Amino acid sequence: MAENLPVGTIRFGCKIVKLESHPIITSHTILHLQDGTVIKAKVVIGCHGVHSVVGDWLEWKPTRRFNLCGVVGFTTYPNGHGFGNEFVRIRGDHMMAGRLPIDEKLVYWFVARPRTPQGISLTKSLCYYLWFVHAGKKLTILYSGFERTKVLRDSTMELIKDFPAEIPDLIKNCDLDSVSLFSLRRRENFRKGTVTVAGDAMHVMGPFVGQGGTAALEDAVVLGRCFAQEMVAVLDSERSNKNNLD
């Protein structure tokens, strides 16, 4: 694909630091790169996630919490896990769990579920302080990382107890220091003039298997088709106008 594009079309290490409208051609946008380069662009499509200079240009509203949260982690099987080399997803009651072997001993897993009052309570409980009195003084310490992830693991196991046994077993035997809780947020205002976003900058994606990257590729195909259709329409219109003049 790259070989069919003009030289210089693809550039690496070009971080955008600022966008501004062209002072004369209002349909164009001026991009300022970190190395001082200035590019005049007819169309700008940002595919670099939620925290984006392009997003700032679009004047994104503050993020809104999506109604999904989840838990991810890794499980190590010293003697091998025996799973096939495939990505498995299992859907349950408003939840989804999955696993993906990394090698013959390590397995990545995730559980996605709706945000519920219980889930919010769990998130808050991970930030609670423990109060102790020692030598007449009140001391404050945080839960240890082990305690936090153990609470998270046990709560997740309870949620998916009715899933096929391999999923609860994965979580039960997980590497506790790899477990993490996440929540998803979404953005609005995806387009402004000829500037827009695609991939995980537009779509809400869980951090499961690189779906943001694949969504960006799919968006590129769709946008390419839309551009092609528009170009054909413009050419047909120009031919029609020329024939009318003749």
Side-chain angles (χ1 to χ4, degrees), residues 37-70:
T37 303
V38 176
I39 299 176
K40 297 177 183 178
K42 294 181 179 179
V43 176
V44 179
I45 303 170
C47 302
H48 50 322
V50 173
H51 305 290
S52 155
V53 175
V54 176
D56 293 339
W57 170 256
L58 294 174
E59 297 179 337
W60 274 341
K61 296 179 180 178
T63 58
R64 294 186 179 183
R65 194 181 296 274
F66 196 59
N67 64 346
L68 178 72
C69 65

Side-chain angles (χ1 to χ4, degrees), residues 89-159:
R89 289 188 296 180
I90 303 172
R91 294 184 181 273
D93 184 17
H94 302 292
M95 291 185 292
M96 181 173 65
R99 61 168 171 80
L100 177 66
I102 305 301
D103 55 31
E104 67 275 5
K105 295 183 179 181
L106 184 65
V107 180
Y108 166 76
W109 56 264
F110 69 87
V111 176
R113 59 183 176 84
R115 290 186 74 247
T116 61
Q118 293 81 4
I120 295 172
S121 298
L122 172 62
T123 303
K124 292 180 178 178
S125 72
L126 301 182
C127 302
Y128 281 167
Y129 290 94
L130 294 179
W131 298 89
F132 289 90
V133 176
H134 176 70
K137 296 181 179 180
K138 186 166 65 174
L139 304 178
T140 305
I141 66 171
L142 284 169
Y143 279 128
S144 69
F146 176 82
E147 290 169 327
R148 291 199 303 271
T149 52
K150 187 175 184 298
V151 170
L152 186 56
R153 180 199 64 183
D154 294 345
S155 172
T156 304
M157 287 178 58
E158 178 64 23
L159 286 171

Side-chain angles (χ1 to χ4, degrees), residues 19-240:
L19 285 80
E20 60 182 354
S21 297
H22 195 287
I24 300 175
I25 309 174
T26 56
S27 62
H28 289 193
T29 304
I30 299 177
L31 310 180
H32 296 266
L33 306 185
Q34 192 173 38
D35 62 2
T37 303
V38 176
I39 299 176
K40 297 177 183 178
K42 294 181 179 179
V43 176
V44 179
I45 303 170
C47 302
H48 50 322
V50 173
H51 305 290
S52 155
V53 175
V54 176
D56 293 339
W57 170 256
L58 294 174
E59 297 179 337
W60 274 341
K61 296 179 180 178
T63 58
R64 294 186 179 183
R65 194 181 296 274
F66 196 59
N67 64 346
L68 178 72
C69 65
V71 184
V72 298
F74 293 92
T75 301
T76 301
Y77 293 83
N79 298 320
H81 49 68
F83 296 132
N85 187 24
E86 58 183 357
F87 174 48
V88 174
R89 289 188 296 180
I90 303 172
R91 294 184 181 273
D93 184 17
H94 302 292
M95 291 185 292
M96 181 173 65
R99 61 168 171 80
L100 177 66
I102 305 301
D103 55 31
E104 67 275 5
K105 295 183 179 181
L106 184 65
V107 180
Y108 166 76
W109 56 264
F110 69 87
V111 176
R113 59 183 176 84
R115 290 186 74 247
T116 61
Q118 293 81 4
I120 295 172
S121 298
L122 172 62
T123 303
K124 292 180 178 178
S125 72
L126 301 182
C127 302
Y128 281 167
Y129 290 94
L130 294 179
W131 298 89
F132 289 90
V133 176
H134 176 70
K137 296 181 179 180
K138 186 166 65 174
L139 304 178
T140 305
I141 66 171
L142 284 169
Y143 279 128
S144 69
F146 176 82
E147 290 169 327
R148 291 199 303 271
T149 52
K150 187 175 184 298
V151 170
L152 186 56
R153 180 199 64 183
D154 294 345
S155 172
T156 304
M157 287 178 58
E158 178 64 23
L159 286 171
I160 62 166
K161 61 184 179 182
D162 295 328
F163 274 59
E166 68 178 59
I167 300 298
D169 286 346
L170 263 175
I171 298 173
K172 178 181 179 180
N173 300 309
C174 69
D175 305 327
L176 280 174
D177 59 354
S178 73
V179 178
S180 60
L181 176 71
F182 67 88
S183 60
L184 294 177
R185 293 180 176 271
R186 62 186 176 89
R187 290 285 194 179
E188 297 178 349
N189 298 354
F190 295 131
R191 186 181 69 84
K192 181 180 178 182
T194 57
V195 179
T196 188
V197 289
D200 57 358
M202 175 181 287
H203 311 290
V204 175
M205 292 290 175
F208 303 145
V209 288
Q211 291 170 305
T214 54
L217 292 173
E218 184 176 358
D219 286 346
V221 172
V222 173
L223 284 169
R225 290 172 178 169
C226 292
F227 285 141
Q229 292 172 1
E230 185 66 20
M231 291 174 66
V232 170
V234 170
L235 290 174
D236 288 343
S237 176
E238 290 178 350
R239 292 193 188 100
S240 177

